Amino acid sequence: APAKAKKIPSRGNNVELTSDGEVEEGSWEMEEEEDGSSDEMVDDYGASSSEEEELLPIEKAALKQKSDRGGLSEDDSEEDEEEEEAVEEASKQKMGQKEEESTDLQLNLDIDEQFKLPTNEQIEREDILFICDIHKLYACSSPPDLHIIHQRIKGNMEVLQDFVVKREEGRTRQEYLAVLRRDMAAYYSYSDFLLTKLMDIFPLPELINFLEANEVPRPVTIRTNTLKTRRRDLAQALINRGVNLDPLGKWSKTGLVIYDSSVPIGATPEYLAGHYMLQGASSLLPVMALAPQENERILDMCCAPGGKTSYIAQLMKNTGMILANDSNAERLRSVVGNLHRLGVTNAVVSNCDGRQFPKVCSYLLWGVLGGFDRVLLDAPCSGTGVISKDPAVKTNKDEKDILRCAHLQKELILSAIDSVNAASETGGYIVYCTCSIMVEENEWVVDYALKKRNVRLVATGLDFGKEGFTRFKDRRFHPSLKSTRRFYPHTHNMDGFFIAKFKKFSNAIPQAQKEPAVEAATPSTDPGTITEPQPKKKKLEGSKADKEQKPPQTALKKRHLLQAQRRPLKA
């Protein structure tokens, strides 16, 4: 008698495949009569074409496998059972992995919900692992987990933003800040000193953006040399060579930003012909603030490697005179090479210490030139604004380096102011800039210059950038420091920079007011001593000050000429 097959579950859900692609047994149940055989059943199924048309392809495959298993031996059935057990174990392992993932997600949710400071033992253990990782001591079991540190930074930031609600009982804000500073120093590889300085300058959310921006290089930018070509022609020539570029921005008429290039951007025929200069976007801003005019006398006190000097010559259209000075003779080689390549013909290169420039070059400065119309001072600094170019700044700077740079910058800015002629018809301007973001090297130096010389701050002429600090911690600066400009990598996508512009309104150097006060206080300390009457002293001092403070300009020129004539005779 023919065998009859009966399908117990519904047709849509009756077939279950294992991970190996096999159909599980038991999905089909066959009802056979007592005298039936498996061969007849296969023949009947093979003969019933109408039923095969109704079955899905996967069901047909299941029927074939079922028919093949009907003629297997007992050994094969045992192997099938083992395979089924292996499949079940694999499914259990998958379920276990899913459960572990769910528990991990739950732990992350718990961390996000409530952040807890690490214990002292955890901090000490992480410090040991961090030291081992720095010095490559492989005896340690494992390096510190940066993912955990990053999660802790995020949680700590959330608590500090809403400290009253989310803080842990018995914990102060200083403890949270100490852990945050330590975690950021470990995650971003900064020294504790520099990170403390940065935390004083930036709010915490902005500080994270600044640290992240320093891990990414700034885009490559070039400046078109309009002495030889136009920006449109240069862009088309570079595009034809496979360079992907765009205009730098609305604020620059000569800048181009390079995204990628199939040729070396510093070795193209256009570069060798002097059609452009590789120059950072932030280096264009001081020259734009200086705004040199044609036929003026300009001093670039720290000119190497010559990018700003060539830009000044470009704006002056090779008229007037530029004195390009630098104290490092080796760096002047690149200045001379760039000036020749770019076609600059109105520049004179000198090797002199900028601090002694007004004294050493007094005859040239006042006897021949009559003072400069404008001075650009790109002072040496700590380089905290160009960390993306020099990551060593993260760890090799300390308090002594910052103060040493600040002292040098104060000397240079006074020398730059003394080199400018306040009576210039078109000029009398000084631009001071650094590639640092430290307040000690920027606002402190500018405030010092305002007290020591007859200058005032004026607008830089730049439409963007953040205002300088008028107060920092316990210090208060002149209110006019709002006209200075700060540029950051995370806000303007350029190197960190500071720019201040001065206007000199008098060539006289103000005298210190401390000496008369000291002399007036000496009689009260020693009442028994007999001194001259005070009014006579005041009259003498006042007459001397009146003569020394405001000498006529012709007298200054005669004095410098006489000094220049006497020097060779003494030698």
Side-chain angles (χ1 to χ4, degrees):
K4 295 180 181 179
K6 183 181 179 181
K7 186 176 64 175
I8 294 174
S10 63
R11 181 168 294 178
N13 301 324
N14 56 349
V15 180
E16 295 180 0
L17 293 180
T18 62
S19 60
D20 299 332
E22 298 180 356
V23 181
E24 290 186 359
E25 295 183 0
S27 61
W28 292 81
E29 289 188 4
M30 307 297 295
E31 292 185 358
E32 299 181 2
E33 295 184 359
E34 295 178 357
D35 298 336
S37 63
S38 61
D39 295 337
E40 293 176 355
M41 179 187 68
V42 174
D43 292 339
D44 284 339
Y45 274 106
S48 59
S49 59
S50 61
E51 292 181 359
E52 287 182 356
E53 291 177 357
E54 296 177 358
L55 296 178
L56 295 173
I58 192 170
E59 294 176 343
K60 294 178 180 180
L63 290 176
K64 289 182 180 180
Q65 290 181 359
K66 187 67 176 179
S67 62
D68 293 339
R69 287 183 180 182
L72 293 177
S73 60
E74 294 180 357
D75 296 335
D76 295 335
S77 62
E78 292 178 358
E79 293 179 359
D80 293 339
E81 292 178 357
E82 292 177 357
E83 290 180 0
E84 290 177 1
E85 292 177 357
V87 170
E88 291 177 358
E89 291 179 359
S91 62
K92 289 180 180 179
Q93 291 178 358
K94 289 181 181 179
M95 292 296 292
Q97 291 178 358
K98 290 181 179 179
E99 290 178 358
E100 290 177 359
E101 291 177 358
S102 62
T103 54
D104 293 339
L105 292 173
Q106 187 64 33
L107 288 175
N108 292 334
L109 290 173
D110 294 340
I111 292 172
D112 294 338
E113 289 175 358
Q114 185 177 3
F115 171 76
K116 292 184 178 180
L117 289 175
T119 61
N120 294 331
E121 296 178 356
Q122 293 176 352
I123 293 175
E124 292 177 359
R125 184 177 60 188
E126 289 181 0
D127 288 339
I128 293 172
L129 293 176
F130 183 68
I131 293 171
C132 292
D133 186 60
I134 291 176
H135 297 283
K136 304 300 181 183
L137 300 177
Y138 297 102
C140 297
S141 59
S142 61
D145 192 351
L146 295 180
H147 179 69
I148 295 176
I149 296 176
H150 186 61
Q151 292 293 333
R152 195 159 60 206
I153 291 173
K154 288 184 177 180
N156 203 339
M157 291 286 293
E158 292 178 359
V159 174
L160 290 172
Q161 289 176 2
D162 192 4
F163 187 71
V164 178
V165 178
K166 297 183 179 181
R167 73 184 184 94
E168 189 177 348
E169 293 184 2
R171 297 283 191 169
T172 62
R173 189 179 185 86
Q174 296 301 325
E175 293 178 357
Y176 280 88
L177 290 174
V179 173
L180 179 63
R181 182 173 64 249
R182 177 189 153 278
D183 288 340
M184 287 192 296
Y187 187 77
Y188 294 102
S189 301
Y190 280 79
S191 64
D192 187 70
F193 161 76
L194 184 57
L195 204 55
T196 304
K197 289 287 186 182
L198 295 177
M199 291 178 73
D200 293 336
I201 296 174
F202 297 106
L204 290 179
E206 190 177 0
L207 175 60
I208 297 295
N209 296 332
F210 174 77
L211 297 177
E212 290 288 346
N214 287 335
E215 303 299 319
V216 182
R218 304 276 76 77
V220 179
T221 56
I222 61 174
R223 173 181 55 82
T224 308
N225 182 18
T226 55
L227 296 174
K228 292 189 174 184
T229 185
R230 294 182 299 179
R231 184 170 72 169
R232 181 177 58 187
D233 299 336
L234 174 63
Q236 187 60 46
L238 292 178
I239 289 172
N240 294 337
R241 296 190 183 277
V243 180
N244 185 14
L245 52 83
D246 269 334
L248 181 57
K250 295 181 179 180
W251 55 271
S252 175
K253 297 181 180 179
T254 59
L256 292 170
V257 57
I258 308 297
Y259 297 114
D260 53 26
S261 174
S262 58
V263 294
I265 201 66
T268 60
E270 288 79 12
Y271 176 83
L272 298 176
H275 290 184
Y276 64 89
M277 176 77 178
L278 281 167
Q279 192 170 0
S282 58
S283 298
L284 305 177
L285 300 175
V287 181
M288 295 173 62
L290 185 66
Q293 305 298 318
E294 296 182 17
N295 300 312
E296 283 188 339
R297 299 178 298 273
I298 309 293
L299 170 63
D300 190 357
M301 189 167 280
C302 304
C303 65
K308 299 180 182 67
T309 305
S310 59
Y311 192 18
I312 294 173
Q314 173 180 320
L315 295 177
M316 295 173 64
K317 299 179 181 179
N318 264 340
T319 62
M321 193 275 291
I322 302 173
L323 183 59
N325 178 73
D326 201 274
S327 60
N328 192 341
E330 294 181 357
R331 299 190 68 188
L332 285 176
R333 297 178 181 177
S334 62
V335 176
V336 174
N338 285 323
L339 294 181
H340 280 297
R341 182 177 59 84
L342 297 169
V344 176
T345 59
N346 64 340
V348 178
V349 180
S350 67
N351 179 22
C352 179
D353 188 357
R355 295 172 292 182
Q356 306 298 329
F357 190 85
K359 297 178 183 178
V360 175
C361 303
S362 60
Y363 173 70
L364 174 65
L365 182 60
W366 295 106
V368 178
L369 300 175
F372 289 99
D373 296 313
R374 299 169 194 260
V375 175
L376 174 62
L377 175 58
D378 185 6
C381 61
S382 60
T384 52
V386 290
I387 296 177
S388 60
K389 294 180 180 178
D390 186 13
V393 179
K394 294 180 179 180
T395 55
N396 63 2
K397 300 298 180 184
D398 56 5
E399 186 72 25
K400 293 182 180 179
D401 296 326
I402 304 297
L403 296 178
R404 190 183 300 112
C405 289
H407 181 71
L408 174 62
Q409 290 156 359
K410 290 177 181 178
E411 292 179 326
L412 287 173
I413 196 170
L414 294 184
S415 177
I417 294 171
D418 294 339
S419 302
V420 173
N421 185 10
S424 173
E425 296 180 357
T426 59
Y429 294 100
I430 306 99
V431 170
Y432 171 79
C433 60
T434 65
C435 57
S436 172
I437 61 172
M438 294 289 107
V439 178
E440 292 85 350
E441 301 179 71
N442 298 324
E443 282 83 358
W444 283 16
V445 176
V446 172
D447 191 66
Y448 174 81
L450 292 174
K451 295 176 181 177
K452 293 294 183 179
R453 293 294 186 270
N454 291 321
V455 292
R456 64 175 180 268
L457 285 172
V458 295
T460 59
L462 302 173
D463 298 333
F464 63 103
K466 293 191 175 182
E467 295 180 352
F469 293 106
T470 56
R471 52 186 299 172
F472 181 74
K473 299 177 71 174
D474 58 344
R475 294 189 66 89
R476 301 294 180 268
F477 303 117
H478 197 272
S480 61
L481 277 163
K482 287 184 178 180
S483 60
T484 62
R485 287 294 176 265
R486 282 175 161 264
F487 301 91
Y488 298 122
H490 62 283
T491 55
H492 307 100
N493 198 18
M494 60 178 66
D495 294 327
F497 230 76
F498 175 83
I499 298 176
K501 186 175 183 180
F502 297 91
K503 170 67 177 176
K504 187 176 181 180
F505 56 85
S506 175
N507 288 325
I509 299 175
Q511 301 294 326
Q513 301 296 329
K514 293 183 180 180
E515 294 180 359
V518 173
E519 291 179 357
T522 50
S524 62
T525 55
D526 296 328
T529 57
I530 300 173
T531 57
E532 294 182 359
Q534 293 299 325
K536 289 184 178 180
K537 281 190 174 183
K538 290 181 180 178
K539 288 180 181 179
L540 291 173
E541 290 172 0
S543 61
K544 287 181 181 179
D546 293 336
K547 291 180 181 179
E548 292 179 358
Q549 280 183 3
K550 295 183 179 180
Q553 191 172 0
T554 56
L556 281 173
K557 290 185 178 180
K558 289 180 181 179
R559 185 185 301 174
H560 290 301
L561 287 172
L562 290 174
Q563 290 178 357
Q565 292 175 358
R566 290 174 182 173
R567 281 178 185 172
L569 296 176
K570 289 182 180 180

